């Protein structure tokens, strides 16, 4: 797979759009839409749908609408409308003046329902929800006609008007399409179009006490907006005959529904219900917890919109449900961050090093490359002094065979600075190494020995006096198992939560160049990974989130496959 392969074959959705343009099926128009229900935050699965819909519009010179599918007053809120809009925009897409709400079409939908009643294609039914289910039949047995199915048109009109006027309590009546109770597709067995719900809607207030069902509303919304390609996920495939039936029964503009496979990711749950559960039970700090697969969580973690878009492009679309390895998402992230993130040095678990032959009080400014992948990023100065910090794990008193970093008597390179040799180890009473003494070779400034002698490792470091204190939050996968939805009996998915998904290090040191860096700006800490400034970071207390480590698991997986 190569995201930059311009000769790549069109995916099946794009192939349909291209063919329709060729045959002029929609008079040269392409108009898609992204139709979220404002009942939760967007996640990486939605990003797939967003990139598909907005991407197709962009590539084919068409338009993509943002439409809130706000037909269910009970779970929807303005908070979600705001966050969804923000996330779509952050991902890099623009709906221009095409922001729509399904609730704006309630009156039109009602008129269309009246029309179906008048045509004898819809009726008011007094069965309870439970009875409706019992009458529906099963996959192998036909359903039974409702005793109210034969109501006359006048009676239906009267009852439907009174339903709408608020005369009946919740759940006592529904409006149903009159299709076929023996239809092999259960969705076609007189589906409910309206239910009574005396609930306030976040946009229409108390104007309505009947609300349309998804199946009745969705095609009408597409029709009103003159959508050409109504792209949705596979579970709606067997709703398509109903989508088509409603539009044909009304004889109104009729888009084409196309289904694709939803995104599933390893080590992740994607269901809104489960994500909400994590938030409500305090198992994460909120929708934007950096471990969440939500767009706002990924943003806080340090993901770039470019990385998410390139992931969506790389996975493509198809008709078969499958699970993508999260290593691929992280691979796309690294590819982007590698190109764009300035390098800095940071020490997460500091060990003090004293360079005995370096003069007290002297400071040298070492030249450091900001980004080897981007010459335009330039250079910076890093102060070097007699007392430094290196990473605790870069020293071992009794190194095993393959440990090439610092050890007693051994010489290593300090990045952008000098070769140093460890001469002495200071320990506390408990025997822990607390300080190292070293000497440096002044002839190796910049990191090379004029006599050609080699060292086996290069360590990052910061100056004790010049470095800044920082807190660093090390994030890992939220779940320990590839498929967190797979659980033992009597357990739920939360039993698969990773107890080590967050580790906080409070005594880190970072180089002074990071002073004043803005929230969410991204860096590579040399040798450690990609980090971004946490939104709650301040000049008094610098805080970083680890976005991702440097080790590319995906590259490893690919190598193993070859
Ligand atoms: P709900 O169960 O609440 O309907 P949903 O995840 O389908 O949840 P919507 O707000 O209806 O949420 O989704 C908006 C759009 O995003 C839909 O067109 C849906 O098909 C698409 N979508 C949702 N989840 C995924 C996913 N995992 N992969 C691809 N597309 C998705
Ligand atoms: Mg949905």
């Amino acid at each position: 797979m190569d995201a930059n392969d311009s000769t790549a074959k069109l995916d099946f959705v794009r192939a349909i759009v291209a063919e329709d343009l060729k045959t002029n099926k929609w008079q040269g128009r392409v108009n898609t839409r992204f139709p979220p229900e404002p009942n939760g935050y967007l996640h990486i699965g939605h990003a797939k749908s967003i990139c598909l819909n907005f991407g197709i519009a962009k590539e084919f010179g068409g338009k993509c609408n943002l439409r809130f599918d706000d037909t269910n007053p009970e779970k929807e809120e303005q908070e979600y409308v705001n966050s969804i809009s923000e996330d779509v925009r952050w991902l890099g897409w623009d709906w221009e003046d095409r922001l729509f709400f399904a609730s704006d079409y309630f009156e039109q939908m009602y008129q269309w329902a009246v029309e179906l009643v008048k045509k004898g294609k819809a009726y008011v039914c007094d069965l309870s929800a439970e009875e409706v289910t019992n009458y529906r039949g099963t996959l192998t047995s036909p359903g039974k006609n409702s005793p109210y199915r034969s109501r006359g048109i006048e009676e239906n009109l009267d009852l439907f008007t009174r339903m709408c006027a608020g005369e009946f309590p919740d759940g006592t009546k529904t409006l149903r399409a009159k299709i076929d109770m023996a239809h092999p597709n259960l969705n076609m067995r007189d589906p409910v179009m309206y239910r009574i719900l005396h609930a306030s809607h976040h946009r229409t207030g108390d104007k309505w006490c009947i609300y349309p069902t998804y199946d009745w509303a969705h095609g009408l919304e597409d029709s009103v907006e003159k959508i050409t390609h109504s792209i949705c996920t596979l579970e709606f495939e067997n709703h398509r005959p109903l989508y088509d039936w409603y539009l044909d029964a009304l004889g109104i503009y009729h888009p084409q529904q196309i289904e694709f496979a939803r995104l599933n990711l390893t080590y992740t749950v994607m269901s809104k219900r489960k994500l909400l559960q994590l938030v409500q039970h305090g198992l994460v700090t909120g929708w934007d917890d950096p471990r969440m697969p939500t767009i706002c969580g990924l943003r806080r973690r340090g993901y770039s919109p470019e990385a998410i878009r390139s992931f969506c492009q790389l996975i493509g679309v198809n008709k078969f449900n499958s699970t993508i390895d999260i290593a691929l998402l992280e691979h796309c992230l690294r590819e982007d961050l590698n190109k764009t993130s300035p390098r800095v040095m940071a020490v997460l678990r500091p060990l003090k090093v004293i360079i005995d032959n370096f003069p007290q009080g002297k400071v040298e400014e070492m030249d450091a490359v900001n980004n080897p992948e981007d010459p335009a990023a330039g250079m910076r100065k890093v102060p070097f002094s007699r007392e430094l910090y290196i990473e605790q794990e870069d020293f071992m008193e009794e190194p095993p065979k393959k440990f090439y970093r610092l050890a007693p008597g051994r010489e290593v390179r300090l990045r952008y600075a000098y070769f140093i040799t460890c001469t002495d180890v200071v320990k506390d009473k408990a025997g822990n190494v607390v300080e190292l003494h070293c000497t440096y070779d002044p002839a190796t400034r910049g990191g090379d020995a004029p006599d050609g002698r080699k060292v086996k490792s290069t360590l990052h470091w910061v100056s004790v006096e010049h470095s800044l204190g920082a807190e660093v939050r090390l994030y890992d996968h939220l779940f320990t198992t590839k498929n967190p939805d797979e659980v033992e009996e009597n357990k739920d998915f939360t039993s698969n939560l990773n107890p080590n998904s967050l580790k906080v290090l409070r005594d880190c040191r970072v180089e002074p160049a990071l002073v004043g860096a803005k929230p969410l700006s991204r860096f590579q800490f040399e040798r450690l990974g990609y980090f971004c400034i946490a939104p709650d970071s301040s000049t008094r207390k610098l805080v970083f989130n680890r976005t991702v480590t440097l080790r590319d698991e995906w590259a490893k997986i690919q190598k193993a496959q070859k």
Side-chain angles (χ1 to χ4, degrees):
M1 283 199 282
D2 182 350
N4 301 316
D5 187 356
S6 59
T7 62
K9 223 174 105 242
L10 291 182
D11 60 61
F12 82 97
V13 184
R14 285 173 169 85
I16 294 172
V17 175
E19 178 66 17
D20 288 350
L21 279 173
K22 213 167 84 190
T23 60
N24 212 25
K25 179 170 172 189
W26 308 102
Q27 289 77 47
R29 283 189 320 114
V30 173
N31 199 338
T32 54
R33 84 286 174 268
F34 174 63
E37 188 181 342
N39 64 352
Y41 281 66
L42 296 183
H43 54 58
I44 182 79
H46 293 115
K48 176 176 178 178
S49 172
I50 292 168
C51 291
L52 181 62
N53 281 295
F54 279 94
I56 284 177
K58 186 171 172 201
E59 291 153 36
F60 292 94
K63 294 177 165 137
C64 180
N65 304 354
L66 175 60
R67 179 208 307 148
F68 287 99
D69 203 350
D70 56 351
T71 52
N72 178 1
E74 287 182 310
K75 293 183 186 160
E76 295 164 2
E77 286 171 33
Q78 186 62 35
E79 174 198 350
Y80 298 128
V81 170
N82 298 346
S83 74
I84 290 170
S85 310
E86 183 188 351
D87 289 348
V88 174
R89 211 174 279 124
W90 178 78
L91 278 172
W93 304 106
D94 184 4
W95 55 88
E96 299 170 331
D97 56 353
R98 296 177 307 280
L99 172 64
F100 300 118
F101 291 85
S103 53
D104 287 345
Y105 313 145
F106 280 173
E107 180 61 38
Q108 172 71 76
M109 289 175 189
Y110 177 78
Q111 293 305 333
W112 274 329
V114 169
E115 206 175 313
L116 287 195
V117 173
K118 286 184 179 160
K119 286 183 172 169
K121 294 187 175 196
Y123 62 97
V124 173
C125 178
D126 297 1
L127 293 180
S128 67
E130 201 189 332
E131 289 166 326
V132 168
T133 308
N134 292 339
Y135 274 72
R136 187 174 294 132
T138 65
L139 280 174
T140 49
S141 61
K144 250 188 347 194
N145 283 352
S146 159
Y148 306 99
R149 198 175 200 262
S150 50
R151 267 181 175 146
I153 289 173
E154 286 314 313
E155 187 186 355
N156 280 322
L157 275 179
D158 173 60
L159 287 171
F160 187 46
T161 313
R162 288 163 58 196
M163 268 170 73
C164 184
E167 276 190 38
F168 309 114
D170 288 3
T172 53
K173 288 183 169 32
T174 54
L175 184 74
R176 300 176 67 179
K178 199 178 203 170
I179 307 181
D180 178 1
M181 286 308 291
H183 201 285
N185 182 339
L186 268 70
N187 293 316
M188 302 295 275
R189 295 185 186 171
D190 291 11
V192 172
M193 297 162 61
Y194 278 96
R195 63 224 148 88
I196 301 174
L197 204 58
H198 292 264
S200 256
H201 184 279
H202 75 113
R203 295 190 84 242
T204 58
D206 295 326
K207 178 156 182 227
W208 297 90
C209 61
I210 58 168
Y211 288 95
T213 55
Y214 174 90
D215 278 333
W216 163 242
H218 201 79
L220 305 184
E221 296 160 22
D222 286 340
S223 182
V224 170
E225 292 174 22
K226 299 278 188 293
I227 297 303
T228 54
H229 303 85
S230 174
I231 304 167
C232 61
T233 42
L234 281 184
E235 38 332 338
F236 293 102
E237 192 161 19
N238 56 13
H239 294 243
R240 180 163 19 104
L242 181 53
Y243 181 99
D244 292 339
W245 188 91
Y246 283 135
L247 295 172
D248 290 341
L250 289 165
I252 56 179
Y253 175 89
H254 192 151
Q256 177 182 5
Q257 176 177 306
I258 305 166
E259 307 86 13
F260 72 99
R262 59 171 52 231
L263 170 67
N264 300 300
L265 263 189
T266 56
Y267 298 101
T268 312
V269 296
M270 213 83 95
S271 138
K272 270 192 234 175
R273 188 178 55 77
K274 289 181 180 160
L275 295 175
L276 182 65
Q277 192 178 332
L278 292 174
V279 173
Q280 284 179 339
H281 294 193
L283 298 167
V284 292
T285 58
W287 285 101
D288 65 349
D289 186 299
R291 293 164 294 184
M292 291 279 272
T294 49
I295 303 299
C296 53
L298 296 173
R299 176 163 64 230
R300 222 174 132 179
R301 177 82 170 253
Y303 272 74
S304 61
E306 290 80 6
I308 297 174
R309 290 202 305 265
S310 97
F311 169 72
C312 291
Q313 189 178 355
L314 200 55
I315 57 174
V317 282
N318 62 43
K319 277 261 183 204
F320 307 97
N321 279 317
S322 64
T323 302
I324 305 282
D325 198 314
I326 197 167
L328 179 57
L329 175 62
E330 294 177 343
H331 168 79
C332 294
L333 177 62
R334 286 188 190 94
E335 293 259 292
D336 182 57
L337 296 182
N338 181 43
K339 281 183 274 170
T340 55
S341 304
R343 273 56 169 173
V344 292
M345 290 196 285
V347 175
L348 300 188
R349 297 173 183 87
L351 172 61
K352 195 184 254 187
V353 169
I354 298 169
I355 315 283
D356 289 320
N357 61 340
F358 194 88
Q360 197 108 42
K362 179 172 171 181
V363 182
E364 283 190 30
E365 298 283 335
M366 314 311 288
D367 291 310
V369 178
N370 283 335
N371 186 351
E373 302 291 320
D374 177 12
M379 308 279 290
R380 72 183 183 289
K381 302 282 187 197
V382 186
F384 183 89
S385 65
R386 180 180 159 92
E387 296 197 357
L388 309 171
Y389 288 122
I390 64 166
E391 211 68 61
Q392 283 169 19
E393 62 174 32
D394 281 339
F395 173 81
M396 279 186 96
E397 197 175 11
E398 286 165 30
K401 243 191 167 156
K402 285 198 169 158
F403 186 88
Y404 298 120
R405 293 168 267 169
L406 198 59
R410 187 180 287 171
E411 187 170 54
V412 298
R413 176 190 294 110
L414 291 183
R415 184 104 162 116
Y416 303 124
Y418 293 103
F419 284 14
I420 61 166
T421 304
C422 178
T423 53
D424 200 11
V425 181
V426 180
K427 293 185 198 174
D428 64 11
K429 280 204 189 98
N432 303 309
V433 176
V434 291
E435 200 173 281
L436 302 178
H437 284 266
C438 295
T439 56
Y440 85 115
D441 177 357
T444 58
R445 191 184 156 117
D448 278 311
D451 62 5
R453 93 184 174 272
K454 298 279 180 231
V455 287
K456 281 207 169 135
S457 75
T458 300
L459 310 185
H460 60 273
W461 54 275
V462 295
S463 160
V464 168
E465 177 194 345
H466 302 90
S467 60
L468 313 169
E471 175 177 311
V472 175
R473 299 172 187 156
L474 302 178
Y475 290 104
D476 202 347
H477 298 322
L478 189 51
F479 295 95
T480 49
T481 51
K482 279 203 162 177
N483 181 1
D485 290 321
E486 238 166 54
V487 284
E488 289 166 35
E489 232 178 291
N490 304 325
K491 288 196 173 166
D492 79 343
F493 75 103
T494 58
S495 65
N496 288 323
L497 278 169
N498 176 4
N500 301 315
S501 58
L502 170 59
K503 224 180 275 164
V504 182
L505 303 177
R506 295 204 164 78
D507 303 309
C508 311
R509 307 292 302 183
V510 301
E511 67 168 88
L514 284 165
V515 74
K518 297 220 162 46
L520 294 182
S521 41
R522 309 178 183 95
F523 300 92
Q524 185 196 97
F525 289 178
E526 295 215 22
R527 300 177 62 229
L528 296 174
Y530 295 97
F531 294 75
C532 79
I533 306 242
D536 55 325
S537 181
S538 68
T539 42
R540 265 195 308 129
K541 187 175 156 210
L542 265 176
V543 183
F544 292 87
N545 289 339
R546 181 170 72 193
T547 309
V548 68
T549 60
L550 291 176
R551 199 178 56 241
D552 192 339
E553 295 289 341
W554 181 252
K556 237 168 53 189
I557 293 167
Q558 279 197 312
K559 224 180 193 173
Q561 280 170 350
K562 276 178 198 157

